[in-house]
Coordinates of all heavy atoms in Angstrom, one line a residue:
M10 N 0.7 -4.9 -3.0 CA 0.9 -3.7 -3.8 C 2.3 -3.3 -3.9 O 2.8 -2.8 -4.9 CB 0.0 -2.6 -3.3 CG -1.5 -2.8 -3.5 SD -2.5 -1.4 -2.9 CE -3.2 -0.9 -4.4
I11 N 3.0 -3.4 -2.8 CA 4.4 -3.0 -2.8 C 5.2 -4.0 -3.7 O 6.1 -3.5 -4.4 CB 5.0 -3.0 -1.3 CG1 4.3 -1.9 -0.5 CG2 6.5 -2.8 -1.3 CD1 4.5 -1.9 1.0
E12 N 4.9 -5.2 -3.6 CA 5.6 -6.2 -4.4 C 5.4 -5.9 -5.9 O 6.3 -6.0 -6.7 CB 5.1 -7.6 -4.1 CG 5.9 -8.7 -4.8 CD 5.4 -10.1 -4.3 OE1 4.9 -10.2 -3.2 OE2 5.6 -11.0 -5.1
L13 N 4.1 -5.6 -6.3 CA 3.8 -5.2 -7.6 C 4.5 -4.0 -8.1 O 5.1 -4.0 -9.2 CB 2.3 -5.0 -7.7 CG 1.7 -4.7 -9.0 CD1 1.6 -5.9 -9.9 CD2 0.2 -4.1 -8.9
Y14 N 4.6 -3.0 -7.2 CA 5.3 -1.8 -7.5 C 6.8 -2.0 -7.8 O 7.4 -1.6 -8.8 CB 5.2 -0.8 -6.3 CG 5.9 0.5 -6.5 CD1 5.4 1.6 -7.2 CD2 7.2 0.7 -5.9 CE1 6.1 2.8 -7.3 CE2 7.8 1.9 -6.0 CZ 7.3 2.9 -6.7 OH 8.0 4.1 -6.9
C15 N 7.4 -2.9 -6.9 CA 8.9 -3.2 -7.1 C 9.1 -4.0 -8.4 O 10.1 -3.7 -9.1 CB 9.4 -3.9 -5.9 SG 9.4 -3.0 -4.4
H16 N 8.2 -4.9 -8.7 CA 8.4 -5.7 -9.8 C 8.2 -5.0 -11.2 O 9.1 -5.1 -12.1 CB 7.5 -7.0 -9.8 CG 7.7 -7.9 -10.9 ND1 8.8 -8.7 -11.0 CD2 6.9 -8.2 -12.0 CE1 8.7 -9.4 -12.1 NE2 7.5 -9.1 -12.7
H17 N 7.1 -4.3 -11.3 CA 6.8 -3.6 -12.5 C 7.3 -2.2 -12.7 O 7.7 -1.8 -13.8 CB 5.3 -3.6 -12.7 CG 4.7 -5.0 -13.0 ND1 4.8 -5.6 -14.2 CD2 4.1 -5.8 -12.1 CE1 4.3 -6.8 -14.1 NE2 3.9 -7.0 -12.8
H18 N 7.4 -1.4 -11.6 CA 7.8 -0.1 -11.8 C 9.4 0.1 -11.6 O 10.0 0.8 -12.3 CB 7.1 0.8 -10.8 CG 7.4 2.3 -10.9 ND1 7.0 3.0 -12.0 CD2 8.1 3.1 -10.1 CE1 7.5 4.3 -11.8 NE2 8.1 4.4 -10.6
L19 N 9.9 -0.6 -10.6 CA 11.3 -0.6 -10.3 C 12.1 -1.6 -11.1 O 13.3 -1.6 -11.1 CB 11.6 -0.7 -8.8 CG 10.9 0.3 -7.9 CD1 11.2 0.0 -6.5 CD2 11.4 1.7 -8.3
H20 N 11.4 -2.6 -11.7 CA 12.0 -3.7 -12.5 C 13.0 -4.5 -11.6 O 14.1 -4.8 -12.0 CB 12.7 -3.1 -13.7 CG 11.9 -2.3 -14.6 ND1 10.8 -2.8 -15.3 CD2 11.9 -1.0 -14.8 CE1 10.2 -1.8 -15.9 NE2 10.8 -0.7 -15.6
Q21 N 12.5 -4.8 -10.4 CA 13.3 -5.6 -9.4 C 12.6 -7.0 -9.3 O 11.4 -7.1 -9.2 CB 13.3 -4.9 -8.0 CG 13.9 -3.6 -8.0 CD 15.4 -3.6 -8.0 OE1 16.0 -4.5 -7.4 NE2 16.0 -2.6 -8.6
D22 N 13.4 -8.0 -9.3 CA 12.9 -9.4 -9.1 C 12.6 -9.7 -7.6 O 11.7 -10.5 -7.3 CB 13.8 -10.4 -9.6 CG 13.9 -10.4 -11.1 OD1 12.9 -10.0 -11.8 OD2 15.0 -10.8 -11.7
T23 N 13.3 -9.0 -6.7 CA 13.0 -9.2 -5.3 C 12.8 -7.8 -4.7 O 13.1 -6.8 -5.3 CB 14.3 -9.8 -4.6 OG1 15.4 -8.9 -4.8 CG2 14.6 -11.2 -5.1
I24 N 12.1 -7.8 -3.6 CA 11.8 -6.5 -3.0 C 13.0 -6.0 -2.3 O 13.6 -6.6 -1.4 CB 10.6 -6.7 -1.9 CG1 9.4 -7.2 -2.6 CG2 10.4 -5.4 -1.2 CD1 8.2 -7.5 -1.7
P25 N 13.4 -4.7 -2.6 CA 14.6 -4.1 -2.0 C 14.3 -3.9 -0.5 O 13.2 -3.9 0.0 CB 14.7 -2.8 -2.7 CG 14.0 -2.9 -4.0 CD 12.9 -3.9 -3.7
D26 N 15.4 -3.9 0.3 CA 15.2 -3.8 1.8 C 14.4 -2.6 2.2 O 13.6 -2.7 3.1 CB 16.6 -3.6 2.4 CG 17.4 -4.9 2.4 OD1 16.8 -6.0 2.2 OD2 18.6 -4.9 2.5
E27 N 14.5 -1.5 1.5 CA 13.7 -0.3 1.8 C 12.2 -0.5 1.7 O 11.4 -0.1 2.5 CB 14.1 0.8 0.8 CG 13.3 2.1 0.9 CD 13.6 3.1 -0.2 OE1 14.6 2.8 -1.0 OE2 12.9 4.1 -0.3
Y28 N 11.8 -1.3 0.7 CA 10.4 -1.6 0.5 C 9.9 -2.7 1.3 O 8.8 -2.8 1.7 CB 10.1 -1.8 -1.0 CG 10.2 -0.5 -1.8 CD1 11.4 -0.2 -2.4 CD2 9.2 0.3 -1.9 CE1 11.5 1.0 -3.1 CE2 9.3 1.6 -2.5 CZ 10.4 1.9 -3.2 OH 10.5 3.1 -3.8
Q29 N 10.8 -3.6 1.7 CA 10.5 -4.7 2.6 C 10.2 -4.1 4.0 O 9.2 -4.5 4.7 CB 11.6 -5.7 2.7 CG 11.2 -6.9 3.6 CD 10.0 -7.7 3.1 OE1 10.0 -8.1 1.9 NE2 9.0 -7.9 3.9
H30 N 11.0 -3.1 4.4 CA 10.7 -2.4 5.6 C 9.4 -1.7 5.6 O 8.6 -1.8 6.5 CB 11.8 -1.3 5.9 CG 11.5 -0.3 6.9 ND1 11.5 -0.7 8.3 CD2 11.1 0.9 6.9 CE1 11.1 0.4 9.0 NE2 10.8 1.4 8.2
L31 N 9.0 -1.1 4.4 CA 7.7 -0.4 4.3 C 6.6 -1.4 4.4 O 5.6 -1.2 5.1 CB 7.7 0.3 2.9 CG 6.4 1.1 2.7 CD1 6.2 2.2 3.7 CD2 6.5 1.7 1.3
A32 N 6.7 -2.6 3.8 CA 5.7 -3.6 3.8 C 5.5 -4.1 5.3 O 4.4 -4.3 5.8 CB 6.1 -4.8 2.9
D33 N 6.6 -4.4 6.0 CA 6.6 -4.8 7.4 C 5.9 -3.7 8.3 O 5.1 -4.0 9.1 CB 8.0 -5.1 7.9 CG 8.6 -6.3 7.2 OD1 7.9 -7.1 6.6 OD2 9.8 -6.4 7.3
Y34 N 6.3 -2.5 8.0 CA 5.7 -1.4 8.7 C 4.2 -1.3 8.5 O 3.5 -1.1 9.5 CB 6.4 -0.1 8.3 CG 5.9 1.2 9.0 CD1 6.5 1.5 10.2 CD2 4.9 2.0 8.5 CE1 6.1 2.7 10.9 CE2 4.5 3.1 9.2 CZ 5.1 3.5 10.4 OH 4.7 4.6 11.0
A35 N 3.8 -1.4 7.3 CA 2.3 -1.3 7.0 C 1.6 -2.5 7.7 O 0.5 -2.3 8.2 CB 2.1 -1.4 5.5
C36 N 2.2 -3.7 7.7 CA 1.5 -4.8 8.3 C 1.4 -4.6 9.9 O 0.4 -4.9 10.5 CB 2.3 -6.1 8.1 SG 2.1 -6.7 6.4
R37 N 2.5 -4.0 10.5 CA 2.4 -3.7 11.9 C 1.4 -2.7 12.2 O 0.6 -2.8 13.2 CB 3.8 -3.3 12.4 CG 4.8 -4.3 12.6 CD 6.0 -3.9 13.4 NE 6.6 -2.6 12.9 CZ 7.5 -2.6 12.0 NH1 8.0 -3.7 11.4 NH2 8.0 -1.4 11.6
R38 N 1.3 -1.7 11.4 CA 0.3 -0.6 11.6 C -1.2 -1.2 11.5 O -2.0 -0.9 12.3 CB 0.4 0.5 10.6 CG 1.7 1.3 10.6 CD 1.8 2.3 11.8 NE 2.0 1.6 13.0 CZ 1.8 2.0 14.2 NH1 1.2 3.2 14.4 NH2 2.0 1.3 15.3
L39 N -1.4 -2.1 10.5 CA -2.7 -2.7 10.3 C -3.0 -3.6 11.5 O -4.2 -3.7 11.9 CB -2.8 -3.4 9.0 CG -2.9 -2.5 7.8 CD1 -2.7 -3.4 6.5 CD2 -4.2 -1.8 7.7
D40 N -2.0 -4.3 12.0 CA -2.3 -5.3 13.1 C -2.7 -4.5 14.4 O -3.4 -5.1 15.2 CB -1.0 -6.1 13.4 CG -0.7 -7.1 12.3 OD1 -1.7 -7.4 11.5 OD2 0.4 -7.7 12.2
H41 N -2.2 -3.3 14.5 CA -2.4 -2.5 15.7 C -3.5 -1.4 15.5 O -3.6 -0.6 16.4 CB -1.1 -1.9 16.3 CG -0.2 -3.0 16.7 ND1 0.8 -3.5 15.9 CD2 0.0 -3.6 17.9 CE1 1.5 -4.4 16.6 NE2 1.0 -4.5 17.8
C42 N -4.1 -1.4 14.4 CA -5.1 -0.4 14.1 C -6.3 -0.5 15.1 O -6.9 -1.6 15.3 CB -5.6 -0.5 12.7 SG -6.9 0.7 12.3
K43 N -6.7 0.6 15.7 CA -7.8 0.6 16.7 C -9.2 0.4 16.0 O -10.1 0.1 16.7 CB -7.8 1.9 17.5 CG -8.1 3.2 16.8 CD -8.1 4.3 17.7 CE -8.5 5.6 17.1 NZ -8.5 6.7 18.0
Y44 N -9.2 0.6 14.7 CA -10.5 0.4 14.0 C -10.7 -1.1 13.5 O -11.8 -1.4 13.1 CB -10.6 1.3 12.8 CG -10.5 2.8 13.2 CD1 -9.4 3.5 13.0 CD2 -11.6 3.4 13.8 CE1 -9.4 4.9 13.4 CE2 -11.6 4.7 14.3 CZ -10.4 5.4 14.0 OH -10.4 6.7 14.5
G45 N -9.7 -1.9 13.5 CA -9.8 -3.3 13.2 C -10.3 -3.6 11.8 O -9.9 -2.9 10.9
E46 N -11.2 -4.5 11.8 CA -11.8 -4.9 10.5 C -12.7 -3.8 9.9 O -13.0 -3.9 8.7 CB -12.6 -6.2 10.7 CG -11.8 -7.4 11.0 CD -10.9 -7.8 9.9 OE1 -11.2 -7.8 8.8 OE2 -9.7 -8.1 10.3
K47 N -13.2 -2.9 10.7 CA -14.1 -1.8 10.2 C -13.3 -0.7 9.6 O -13.8 0.4 9.2 CB -15.0 -1.3 11.3 CG -15.9 -2.4 11.8 CD -16.8 -1.9 12.8 CE -17.7 -3.1 13.3 NZ -18.6 -2.7 14.3
K48 N -12.0 -0.8 9.5 CA -11.1 0.3 9.0 C -11.4 0.6 7.5 O -11.6 -0.2 6.7 CB -9.6 -0.2 9.1 CG -8.7 0.9 8.6 CD -7.3 0.5 8.9 CE -6.3 1.5 8.4 NZ -6.7 2.9 8.3
S49 N -11.4 1.9 7.3 CA -11.5 2.4 5.9 C -10.2 2.5 5.3 O -9.2 2.1 5.9 CB -12.2 3.8 5.9 OG -11.3 4.7 6.6
A50 N -10.1 2.9 4.1 CA -8.8 3.1 3.4 C -8.0 4.1 4.3 O -8.5 5.1 4.9 CB -8.9 3.7 2.0
C51 N -6.7 4.0 4.4 CA -5.8 4.8 5.2 C -6.0 6.3 4.9 O -6.0 7.1 5.7 CB -4.4 4.4 5.1 SG -4.0 2.8 5.9
K52 N -6.2 6.6 3.6 CA -6.3 8.0 3.2 C -7.6 8.6 3.7 O -7.6 9.8 3.9 CB -6.2 8.2 1.7 CG -7.4 7.7 0.9 CD -7.3 8.0 -0.6 CE -8.6 7.6 -1.3 NZ -8.6 8.1 -2.6
D53 N -8.6 7.8 4.0 CA -9.9 8.3 4.6 C -10.0 8.2 6.1 O -11.0 8.6 6.7 CB -11.0 7.5 3.9 CG -11.1 7.7 2.4 OD1 -10.7 8.8 1.9 OD2 -11.4 6.7 1.7
C54 N -9.0 7.6 6.7 CA -9.0 7.4 8.1 C -8.8 8.7 8.9 O -8.0 9.5 8.6 CB -7.9 6.4 8.5 SG -7.9 5.8 10.2
P55 N -9.6 8.8 10.0 CA -9.5 10.0 10.8 C -8.2 10.0 11.7 O -7.7 11.1 12.1 CB -10.7 10.0 11.7 CG -11.1 8.6 11.8 CD -10.7 8.0 10.4
T56 N -7.6 8.9 11.9 CA -6.3 8.8 12.7 C -5.2 8.3 11.7 O -5.2 7.2 11.2 CB -6.5 7.7 13.8 OG1 -7.6 8.0 14.5 CG2 -5.3 7.6 14.6
H57 N -4.3 9.2 11.5 CA -3.1 8.9 10.7 C -2.0 8.3 11.5 O -1.4 9.1 12.3 CB -2.6 10.2 9.9 CG -3.7 10.6 8.9 ND1 -4.0 9.9 7.8 CD2 -4.4 11.8 8.9 CE1 -4.9 10.6 7.2 NE2 -5.2 11.7 7.8
C58 N -1.8 7.0 11.4 CA -0.8 6.4 12.3 C 0.5 6.1 11.7 O 1.4 5.7 12.3 CB -1.4 5.0 12.8 SG -1.8 3.9 11.5
Y59 N 0.7 6.5 10.4 CA 2.0 6.3 9.7 C 2.9 7.5 10.1 O 2.4 8.6 10.1 CB 1.8 6.3 8.2 CG 1.4 4.9 7.7 CD1 0.4 4.1 8.2 CD2 2.0 4.4 6.5 CE1 0.1 2.9 7.7 CE2 1.7 3.2 6.0 CZ 0.7 2.5 6.6 OH 0.3 1.3 6.0
A60 N 4.2 7.2 10.2 CA 5.1 8.3 10.4 C 5.3 9.0 9.1 O 5.0 8.4 8.0 CB 6.5 7.7 10.8
P61 N 5.6 10.3 9.0 CA 5.7 11.1 7.8 C 6.5 10.4 6.7 O 6.0 10.4 5.5 CB 6.3 12.4 8.2 CG 5.9 12.5 9.7 CD 5.9 11.1 10.2
K62 N 7.6 9.9 7.0 CA 8.5 9.2 6.0 C 7.8 8.0 5.3 O 7.7 7.9 4.1 CB 9.8 8.8 6.6 CG 10.7 8.1 5.6 CD 12.0 7.7 6.3 CE 12.8 6.8 5.4 NZ 13.9 6.2 6.2
E63 N 7.2 7.2 6.1 CA 6.5 6.0 5.6 C 5.2 6.4 4.9 O 4.8 5.8 4.0 CB 6.2 5.0 6.8 CG 7.4 4.2 7.2 CD 8.4 5.0 8.1 OE1 8.1 6.1 8.5 OE2 9.4 4.4 8.5
R64 N 4.5 7.4 5.4 CA 3.3 7.9 4.8 C 3.5 8.3 3.3 O 2.8 8.0 2.4 CB 2.7 9.0 5.6 CG 1.3 9.4 5.0 CD 0.6 10.5 5.8 NE 0.7 10.3 7.2 CZ 0.6 11.3 8.1 NH1 0.4 12.5 7.7 NH2 0.6 11.0 9.4
E65 N 4.6 9.1 3.2 CA 5.0 9.5 1.8 C 5.4 8.4 0.9 O 5.0 8.3 -0.3 CB 6.1 10.6 1.9 CG 6.4 11.2 0.5 CD 5.1 11.8 -0.1 OE1 4.3 12.4 0.5 OE2 5.0 11.7 -1.4
A66 N 6.1 7.4 1.5 CA 6.6 6.3 0.7 C 5.4 5.4 0.2 O 5.3 5.0 -0.9 CB 7.6 5.4 1.5
I67 N 4.4 5.2 1.1 CA 3.3 4.3 0.8 C 2.4 5.1 -0.2 O 1.8 4.5 -1.1 CB 2.5 3.8 2.0 CG1 1.7 2.6 1.7 CG2 1.6 4.9 2.6 CD1 2.5 1.3 1.4
R68 N 2.3 6.4 0.0 CA 1.5 7.2 -0.9 C 2.0 7.1 -2.4 O 1.3 7.0 -3.3 CB 1.5 8.6 -0.5 CG 0.5 9.5 -1.2 CD 0.4 10.9 -0.6 NE -0.1 10.9 0.7 CZ 0.2 11.7 1.7 NH1 1.1 12.6 1.5 NH2 -0.4 11.7 2.8
K69 N 3.4 7.1 -2.5 CA 4.0 7.0 -3.8 C 3.7 5.6 -4.4 O 3.4 5.6 -5.6 CB 5.5 7.2 -3.6 CG 6.4 7.1 -4.8 CD 7.8 7.3 -4.4 CE 8.7 6.9 -5.5 NZ 10.1 7.0 -5.1
V70 N 3.8 4.6 -3.6 CA 3.5 3.2 -4.1 C 2.0 3.2 -4.5 O 1.7 2.6 -5.6 CB 3.8 2.2 -3.0 CG1 3.3 0.8 -3.4 CG2 5.3 2.1 -2.8
M71 N 1.1 3.7 -3.7 CA -0.3 3.6 -4.0 C -0.7 4.4 -5.3 O -1.5 4.0 -6.0 CB -1.1 4.0 -2.8 CG -1.0 3.2 -1.6 SD -1.6 1.5 -2.0 CE -1.3 0.8 -0.4
R72 N -0.1 5.5 -5.4 CA -0.3 6.4 -6.6 C 0.0 5.6 -7.9 O -0.7 5.7 -8.9 CB 0.5 7.7 -6.6 CG -0.3 8.8 -6.0 CD 0.4 10.1 -6.2 NE 0.3 10.9 -5.0 CZ 1.3 11.4 -4.3 NH1 2.5 11.2 -4.8 NH2 1.1 12.0 -3.2
W73 N 1.1 4.9 -7.9 CA 1.5 4.1 -9.1 C 0.6 2.8 -9.2 O 0.2 2.5 -10.3 CB 2.9 3.8 -9.1 CG 3.4 3.1 -10.3 CD1 3.8 3.8 -11.5 CD2 3.4 1.7 -10.7 NE1 4.1 2.9 -12.4 CE2 3.8 1.6 -12.0 CE3 3.0 0.6 -10.0 CZ2 3.9 0.4 -12.6 CZ3 3.1 -0.6 -10.6 CH2 3.6 -0.7 -11.9
T74 N 0.4 2.1 -8.1 CA -0.2 0.8 -8.2 C -1.7 0.9 -8.4 O -2.3 0.1 -9.1 CB 0.1 0.1 -6.9 OG1 1.5 0.1 -6.7 CG2 -0.4 -1.4 -7.0
G75 N -2.4 1.9 -7.7 CA -3.8 2.0 -7.7 C -4.5 1.9 -9.1 O -5.3 1.0 -9.3
P76 N -4.1 2.7 -10.1 CA -4.7 2.6 -11.4 C -4.4 1.3 -12.1 O -5.2 0.9 -13.0 CB -4.1 3.8 -12.2 CG -3.6 4.7 -11.1 CD -3.2 3.9 -10.0
R77 N -3.4 0.6 -11.7 CA -3.0 -0.6 -12.4 C -3.6 -1.9 -11.8 O -3.5 -3.0 -12.3 CB -1.5 -0.8 -12.5 CG -0.9 0.3 -13.4 CD 0.5 0.5 -13.1 NE 1.1 1.5 -14.0 CZ 1.1 2.8 -13.8 NH1 0.5 3.3 -12.7 NH2 1.6 3.7 -14.7
M78 N -4.3 -1.7 -10.7 CA -4.9 -2.9 -9.9 C -5.9 -3.7 -10.8 O -5.9 -4.9 -10.6 CB -5.5 -2.4 -8.6 CG -4.5 -2.1 -7.5 SD -3.5 -3.4 -7.0 CE -4.7 -4.5 -6.2
L79 N -6.6 -3.0 -11.6 CA -7.6 -3.7 -12.4 C -6.9 -4.7 -13.3 O -7.5 -5.8 -13.6 CB -8.5 -2.8 -13.2 CG -9.6 -2.1 -12.4 CD1 -10.2 -1.0 -13.3 CD2 -10.6 -3.1 -11.9
W80 N -5.7 -4.5 -13.8 CA -5.0 -5.4 -14.7 C -4.3 -6.5 -13.9 O -4.3 -7.6 -14.3 CB -4.0 -4.7 -15.5 CG -4.7 -3.9 -16.6 CD1 -5.1 -4.3 -17.8 CD2 -5.0 -2.5 -16.5 NE1 -5.7 -3.3 -18.5 CE2 -5.7 -2.2 -17.7 CE3 -4.9 -1.5 -15.5 CZ2 -6.1 -0.9 -18.0 CZ3 -5.4 -0.3 -15.8 CH2 -6.0 0.0 -17.0
Y81 N -3.7 -6.2 -12.8 CA -2.9 -7.1 -12.0 C -3.6 -7.9 -11.0 O -3.2 -9.0 -10.6 CB -1.6 -6.4 -11.4 CG -0.7 -5.8 -12.5 CD1 -0.6 -4.5 -12.6 CD2 0.0 -6.6 -13.3 CE1 0.3 -3.9 -13.6 CE2 0.8 -6.1 -14.3 CZ 1.0 -4.8 -14.4 OH 1.8 -4.3 -15.4
A82 N -4.6 -7.3 -10.4 CA -5.4 -7.9 -9.3 C -6.8 -7.5 -9.4 O -7.3 -6.7 -8.5 CB -4.7 -7.7 -8.0
P83 N -7.6 -7.9 -10.4 CA -8.9 -7.3 -10.6 C -9.9 -7.6 -9.4 O -10.6 -6.8 -9.0 CB -9.4 -8.0 -11.8 CG -8.5 -9.1 -12.1 CD -7.2 -8.8 -11.4
K84 N -9.8 -8.8 -8.8 CA -10.6 -9.1 -7.7 C -10.4 -8.2 -6.5 O -11.3 -7.6 -5.9 CB -10.4 -10.6 -7.2 CG -11.2 -11.0 -6.1 CD -10.9 -12.4 -5.7 CE -11.6 -12.8 -4.4 NZ -11.1 -14.1 -3.9
D85 N -9.1 -8.0 -6.2 CA -8.7 -7.1 -5.1 C -9.2 -5.6 -5.4 O -9.6 -4.9 -4.5 CB -7.2 -7.1 -4.8 CG -6.8 -8.5 -4.3 OD1 -7.6 -9.1 -3.6 OD2 -5.6 -8.8 -4.5
A86 N -9.0 -5.2 -6.6 CA -9.4 -3.9 -7.0 C -10.9 -3.7 -6.8 O -11.4 -2.6 -6.3 CB -9.0 -3.6 -8.4
I87 N -11.7 -4.6 -7.3 CA -13.2 -4.5 -7.2 C -13.6 -4.5 -5.7 O -14.4 -3.7 -5.3 CB -13.8 -5.6 -8.0 CG1 -13.6 -5.4 -9.5 CG2 -15.3 -5.7 -7.6 CD1 -14.0 -6.5 -10.4
L88 N -13.0 -5.4 -4.9 CA -13.3 -5.4 -3.5 C -13.0 -4.1 -2.8 O -13.7 -3.6 -1.9 CB -12.6 -6.6 -2.8 CG -13.1 -8.0 -3.2 CD1 -12.3 -9.1 -2.5 CD2 -14.6 -8.2 -2.7
H89 N -11.8 -3.5 -3.2 CA -11.4 -2.3 -2.6 C -12.4 -1.1 -2.9 O -12.8 -0.3 -2.1 CB -10.0 -1.9 -3.1 CG -9.5 -0.6 -2.5 ND1 -9.1 -0.5 -1.2 CD2 -9.3 0.6 -3.1 CE1 -8.7 0.8 -1.0 NE2 -8.8 1.4 -2.2
I90 N -12.9 -1.1 -4.2 CA -13.8 -0.1 -4.6 C -15.2 -0.3 -3.9 O -15.8 0.7 -3.4 CB -14.0 -0.2 -6.1 CG1 -12.8 0.3 -6.8 CG2 -15.2 0.7 -6.6 CD1 -12.7 0.1 -8.3
L91 N -15.6 -1.6 -3.7 CA -16.9 -1.8 -3.1 C -16.8 -1.5 -1.6 O -17.8 -1.2 -0.9 CB -17.3 -3.3 -3.3 CG -17.7 -3.7 -4.7 CD1 -18.0 -5.2 -4.8 CD2 -18.9 -2.9 -5.1
K92 N -15.6 -1.6 -1.0 CA -15.4 -1.4 0.4 C -15.6 0.1 0.8 O -16.0 0.4 1.9 CB -14.1 -1.9 0.9 CG -13.9 -2.1 2.3 CD -12.6 -2.7 2.6 CE -12.4 -3.0 4.1 NZ -11.2 -3.6 4.4
K93 N -15.3 1.0 -0.2 CA -15.5 2.4 0.0 C -16.9 2.7 0.3 O -17.5 3.4 0.9 CB -15.0 3.2 -1.1 CG -13.5 3.3 -1.1 CD -13.1 4.3 -2.2 CE -11.6 4.6 -2.2 NZ -11.2 5.6 -3.1

């Protein structure tokens, strides 16, 4: 989703360092999540494990990317909706 945001919204061919850091941070958080595979969407999670700065940055990316997922990644969008 971050790559999609950078490419289409920021018009960048490569992911800027700031957003690469955000992607790495998100992966680390998911790898260490105590809920594992049973994890819900982060916004619905009872434990907020993102630091405030990263939480706001990922929220900004998700707000833009979420509605566009049906066009760019329909399979992922449908799976995300069904997972709720």
Side-chain angles (χ1 to χ4, degrees):
M10 292 181 113
I11 294 170
E12 188 176 334
L13 183 72
Y14 178 82
C15 291
H16 182 71
H17 292 282
H18 184 68
L19 301 178
H20 307 291
Q21 301 280 327
D22 290 331
T23 60
I24 298 178
D26 289 340
E27 171 188 357
Y28 289 95
Q29 185 60 53
H30 166 74
L31 183 61
D33 294 342
Y34 182 85
C36 288
R37 281 194 310 273
R38 296 284 76 204
L39 287 171
D40 289 344
H41 294 92
C42 180
K43 69 179 183 179
Y44 298 107
E46 293 296 319
K47 296 180 182 181
K48 181 175 179 21
S49 62
C51 290
K52 70 176 188 168
D53 300 326
C54 187
T56 306
H57 294 293
C58 59
Y59 278 44
K62 179 183 171 189
E63 284 80 3
R64 186 180 312 158
E65 186 55 38
I67 201 70
R68 190 177 290 148
K69 180 179 168 185
V70 169
M71 295 299 181
R72 267 192 219 124
W73 186 88
T74 310
R77 293 160 177 85
M78 284 297 291
L79 282 174
W80 287 275
Y81 296 113
K84 179 182 172 187
D85 293 333
I87 291 169
L88 290 174
H89 180 70
I90 291 169
L91 292 176
K92 200 172 183 180
K93 280 188 173 185

